[in-house]
Amino acid sequence: MKFCAKLPQAEAKREIGVSLGNYNRKQINADLTGPVADSDTLFYRVVMLGRDGDSAVDYAKSQRTLFAPSLTWKPNDKTSVTVLAQYQLDDGKSSPQFFPFSSVLGGNPNGKVSYSTFLSDPNFDRYRTESNALGWKFEHAFNDTWTVRQNFRYTSSRNEYRSLYVNSFFGASNPFAATDPVNQRVLNRYIDGLSTDSQIMRLDNNAQAKFDLGNTQHTLLMGVDYSRFRQDKNGFFGGPGNPIDIYNPVYAPLDFTGVTSYGQPVARQFQTGVYLQDQIKIDQRWVATLGLRRDEAKNDLEGSPAEIAKKTTGRYGLTYLFDNGWAPYVSYAESFLPVQGTDANGKLFAPQEGKQWELGLKYIPAGSRSRFTASIYDLRDENRLTPDLQRPGFSTQQGRIRTIGLELEAAHSFDNRLDVIASYSHTDAKYDKSNTLGEQGNQVETIPRNLASAWAIKRFAIGDTDGFRAGLGARYIGDSYDSTNELKAPAVTLFDAMLGFDYGSWRYALNASNLADKEYVSTCISRGDCWLGSRRVAIVSATYYW
């Protein structure tokens, strides 16, 4: 869990808002900040949110509660201390459904299954996460050159998951082979549950120096960070059994025969990193970034020998700034990320390592309100953590993935108060190495090769009343395949829209995604099932500022 990004402000600002949407969505939120009792050194902020609603899937309700207070003490313009806390609770049921390929993309004699069908059990299914966090941010500037900072965060969370998912492990050709080969309606289900307790502590100390050396300007950053992680898992699993007619589901009492409980040894991880980076500006033209980091990570699984990994990684970049707004750049970066936890068999995860080369061009014409960017990159990622789709709640580490991509973006603000932005990306992400039969050399499942989007917002007045705005957007999601390149989720184009009106201290808005309520499949996986895309969501909101 990340802290709320909103920090205390010296100027008093307050807002409270309510919103209503389809699927019985109801939300109230507040954001209050300013000085404490007219103090000029002590400032507060409180962010609160409460949300309740259903979803496009039957029985799949969800609730969220958020409370995030923070307090900043700023005795002078050189020193500040901020203490932050946060509580968040998410409680609901599993909305993603594991639909057999033939029941949503054709081939089943019964036609398409209803997109609202709930294939788990409403009396058993649950997905609940509760987390608490406490931390601080400290900063002190000794002078115009040196500044020191310390950031600390401790998070404790508990996740409870239990669900049933249908047995589609026979591939797209006949997922009903073991249970209902003639009618192709009934599937067995697996019972799965997991309880996870986690504690994470992170501490970062750094010093920054800004200085000139000859015709160069330097921003030097050096620091040490430390993190500690502890996780305890207990669960149960069993099946297949508990058959369900996916075209006419009846939620009969569950049979727990064959369901077994298990517990995993406590997993701990410790990481220490030392880093040094210098951003150098030369002759107001060249901008170079040079960085090095040394990490030592220790994975400790109770009852097993600890595993220690060490790695030195680098980050380098170079940009040239032309007077006419062009800025070509090149960069290279390495990554070393200790992976927390264990797989379904209790094996510790190896660190995830990556390398990325990028070449790009930015263009902001002088005096204009336009922005253009283009980049190509080559990313190689090893020991990548991906969901274990046969054991929800667990993860596995695939082999090596190589991604070659292109990203384009353009934005412009016209004189008639029309803002437009458009983007396109091509992602060629392939399994470079894999232990899974038929996977190597294929596009990574769930990742479309092509994505595009465009959005326009027009601000206008009606008569003598200003403050209106209207927006329309389009998203193109290209087709994607499972990891064996056999099951295809077709491409889709979706439209979004918004209307808004600002009047005095009030802001009103209506936002809608998937405006046409298009039914589509977002992705399919090699075991034979698919996930469905989000249906239309429309939310109207009113916010009062003072």
Side-chain angles (χ1 to χ4, degrees):
M1 178 185 72
K2 294 183 178 180
F3 274 123
C4 175
K6 297 180 177 180
L7 298 177
Q9 303 295 310
E11 180 182 355
K13 294 181 180 179
R14 307 173 188 91
E15 67 176 74
I16 185 168
V18 295
S19 62
L20 300 172
N22 58 337
Y23 304 119
N24 297 315
R25 176 190 169 108
K26 301 172 288 291
Q27 177 177 303
I28 183 169
N29 54 275
D31 183 1
L32 314 172
T33 188
V36 176
D38 297 324
S39 172
D40 58 359
T41 61
L42 197 60
F43 314 100
Y44 78 97
R45 191 159 198 164
V46 178
V47 178
M48 296 176 285
L49 180 146
R51 180 192 304 154
D52 179 80
D54 300 330
S55 73
V57 179
D58 294 341
Y59 307 105
K61 297 184 177 183
S62 65
Q63 297 177 335
R64 168 170 289 185
T65 302
L66 172 69
F67 178 63
S70 54
L71 188 66
T72 294
W73 178 52
K74 197 170 183 180
N76 51 58
D77 60 354
K78 295 183 180 299
T79 304
S80 69
V81 181
T82 300
V83 179
L84 309 99
Q86 183 168 311
Y87 170 80
Q88 182 170 322
L89 172 65
D90 291 282
D91 197 358
K93 299 184 186 300
S94 305
S95 58
Q97 304 294 299
F98 301 88
F99 286 103
F101 179 89
S102 65
S103 68
V104 292
L105 286 172
N108 192 300
N110 301 287
K112 289 186 177 181
V113 69
S114 172
Y115 277 35
S116 63
T117 305
F118 188 70
L119 296 181
S120 183
D121 187 286
N123 300 312
F124 173 77
D125 194 284
R126 190 177 193 187
Y127 195 93
R128 185 180 191 273
T129 299
E130 186 175 22
S131 57
N132 298 275
L134 181 66
W136 65 74
K137 294 175 176 286
F138 167 77
E139 180 175 322
H140 176 71
F142 291 98
N143 47 46
D144 292 339
T145 301
W146 286 99
T147 301
V148 295
R149 301 181 182 91
Q150 183 182 82
N151 298 313
F152 171 83
R153 180 172 77 241
Y154 173 80
T155 303
S156 175
S157 62
R158 179 177 179 81
N159 175 267
E160 297 179 47
Y161 164 85
R162 59 177 187 253
S163 186
L164 287 89
Y165 56 96
V166 295
N167 178 13
S168 298
F169 300 161
F170 302 101
S173 59
N174 187 7
F176 300 85
T179 51
D180 193 10
V182 177
N183 298 317
Q184 297 191 35
R185 299 176 62 96
V186 177
L187 283 171
N188 280 324
R189 292 177 295 175
Y190 284 86
I191 294 178
D192 192 60
L194 182 66
S195 175
T196 304
D197 289 288
S198 302
Q199 294 86 41
I200 304 173
M201 188 274 285
R202 292 190 174 97
L203 177 66
D204 180 29
N205 298 282
N206 64 69
Q208 176 183 285
K210 291 187 174 183
F211 58 93
D212 296 342
L213 193 62
N215 64 342
T216 63
Q217 298 172 309
H218 296 255
T219 301
L220 183 67
L221 182 69
M222 62 191 79
V224 178
D225 58 33
Y226 173 77
S227 65
R228 186 175 65 197
F229 169 82
R230 183 185 188 277
Q231 187 176 76
D232 190 6
K233 287 184 178 181
N234 292 280
F236 53 87
F237 182 81
N242 295 290
I244 190 170
D245 184 339
I246 68 173
Y247 290 90
N248 184 29
V250 175
Y251 307 105
L254 298 179
D255 179 6
F256 286 87
T257 302
V259 175
T260 58
S261 300
Y262 62 88
Q264 287 197 351
V266 175
R268 297 180 179 85
Q269 182 187 93
F270 309 87
Q271 180 191 0
T272 302
V274 180
Y275 56 91
L276 176 67
Q277 177 182 289
D278 193 8
Q279 186 179 79
I280 310 168
K281 196 168 187 178
I282 307 170
D283 290 332
Q284 303 299 314
R285 296 287 188 186
W286 295 95
V287 179
T289 301
L290 308 172
L292 286 175
R293 180 181 175 91
R294 177 67 176 179
D295 282 287
E296 178 176 308
K298 176 183 176 182
N299 269 354
D300 182 6
L301 188 65
E302 196 170 42
S304 302
E307 295 184 5
I308 298 177
K310 302 178 182 180
K311 185 76 172 181
T312 300
T313 54
R315 178 173 178 264
Y316 316 101
L318 185 64
T319 302
Y320 186 80
L321 306 175
F322 286 94
D323 289 334
N324 57 6
W326 291 94
Y329 69 91
V330 61
S331 67
Y332 170 75
E334 299 169 328
S335 63
F336 172 83
L337 180 65
V339 180
Q340 301 163 346
T342 63
D343 62 16
N345 298 316
K347 181 181 178 182
L348 290 166
F349 292 127
Q352 184 174 322
E353 299 185 21
K355 297 179 180 180
Q356 178 174 324
W357 295 261
E358 184 172 338
L359 180 65
L361 183 64
K362 300 178 182 180
Y363 178 48
I364 304 178
S368 77
R369 289 176 292 179
S370 300
R371 181 183 77 252
F372 305 93
T373 62
S375 65
I376 55 175
Y377 62 90
D378 186 326
L379 172 63
R380 304 182 187 189
D381 197 5
E382 298 191 40
N383 301 326
R384 185 171 178 264
L385 198 65
T386 55
D388 185 338
L389 299 178
Q390 296 184 14
R391 296 291 299 273
F394 288 97
S395 297
T396 62
Q397 287 186 295
Q398 299 284 353
R400 182 172 64 216
I401 291 176
R402 182 178 181 185
T403 305
I404 298 175
L406 165 69
E407 294 181 346
L408 303 173
E409 183 176 304
H412 182 72
S413 296
F414 293 92
D415 293 334
N416 62 354
R417 303 170 72 187
L418 175 65
D419 299 328
V420 295
I421 184 169
S423 64
Y424 167 77
S425 66
H426 178 82
T427 306
D428 188 19
K430 292 184 176 180
Y431 291 106
D432 200 28
K433 283 172 51 180
S434 176
N435 298 334
T436 304
L437 182 65
E439 193 172 77
Q440 187 164 329
N442 293 333
Q443 179 83 356
V444 176
E445 63 184 0
T446 77
I447 298 182
R449 283 187 169 85
N450 297 292
L451 294 171
S453 66
W455 186 261
I457 297 179
K458 172 71 174 179
R459 292 172 172 80
F460 58 95
I462 296 180
D464 295 331
T465 305
D466 201 359
F468 293 92
R469 61 190 182 279
L472 182 64
R475 292 175 284 140
Y476 172 79
I477 305 171
D479 52 33
S480 62
Y481 289 83
D482 73 305
S483 62
T484 60
N485 207 33
E486 294 182 0
L487 309 183
K488 176 183 176 181
V492 64
T493 299
L494 306 172
F495 295 94
D496 308 317
M498 63 83 64
L499 292 171
F501 176 51
D502 295 344
Y503 184 77
S505 298
W506 286 92
R507 170 171 287 186
Y508 306 95
L510 171 62
N511 293 275
S513 60
N514 191 1
L515 197 61
D517 199 20
K518 194 164 191 176
E519 295 183 346
Y520 67 100
V521 174
S522 63
T523 188
C524 296
I525 58 175
S526 57
R527 74 182 190 185
D529 45 16
C530 304
W531 280 269
L532 305 180
S534 298
R535 300 290 296 272
R536 177 172 56 219
V537 175
I539 299 172
V540 61
S541 62
T543 305
Y544 180 72
Y545 299 83
W546 79 97

